[in-house]
Amino acid sequence: MTGKELRAAELAVRYRTERILDGLNLAFVPGSVTAIVGPNGSGKSTLVKALARLLTPDGGAVLLDGLALHGMSPRSVARELAVLPQAPTAPDILTVYELVEQGRFPHTGGLRRLGQV
């Protein structure tokens, strides 16, 4: 993520009828490292999915520098925020460099090649 603040404001998320997160407020400070820790089933993965726009909040909002993430275009979000999940695993044919390189595509045009580092 860039030097922008990512926040959850009164965030609520549910799966089917069960509310997993309810009224959560938090902020990730630019330039800091944050750990999300808790027992299995406590909502850690749900929180990360909501923050990454993979789940739509049932209430509240996820904000990137004060703008609602769900109101932004997918390309705009991809230019500012990326998540590399633990599963599913990346294809064995990709090197770590090639996998990380995938995060650069939102910054290029449709068929443009990535430049040399």
Side-chain angles (χ1 to χ4, degrees):
M1 189 175 82
T2 62
K4 297 186 177 188
E5 182 188 53
L6 181 65
R7 285 191 313 118
E10 295 296 319
L11 185 63
V13 179
R14 74 172 62 235
Y15 282 122
R16 296 185 184 92
T17 60
E18 186 175 355
R19 190 165 263 189
I20 307 299
L21 302 174
D22 191 12
L24 180 69
N25 291 295
L26 60 84
F28 295 93
V29 179
S32 68
V33 176
T34 303
I36 301 170
V37 180
N40 290 345
S42 63
K44 299 179 303 290
S45 295
T46 299
L47 172 60
V48 170
K49 288 176 185 175
L51 292 173
R53 197 177 143 165
L54 300 173
L55 291 175
T56 302
D58 188 48
V62 176
L63 306 168
L64 184 61
D65 258 11
L67 298 175
L69 213 59
H70 282 81
M72 298 170 66
S73 73
R75 186 178 183 103
S76 295
V77 173
R79 286 181 173 174
E80 302 293 340
L81 182 68
V83 174
L84 184 59
Q86 289 181 318
T89 58
D92 290 335
I93 61 170
L94 287 180
T95 65
V96 171
Y97 179 86
E98 291 168 334
L99 181 61
V100 172
E101 185 180 51
Q102 301 296 309
R104 298 301 307 152
F105 284 114
H107 300 275
T108 66
L111 297 175
R112 290 184 49 200
R113 297 188 60 179
L114 296 172
Q116 289 291 92
V117 177

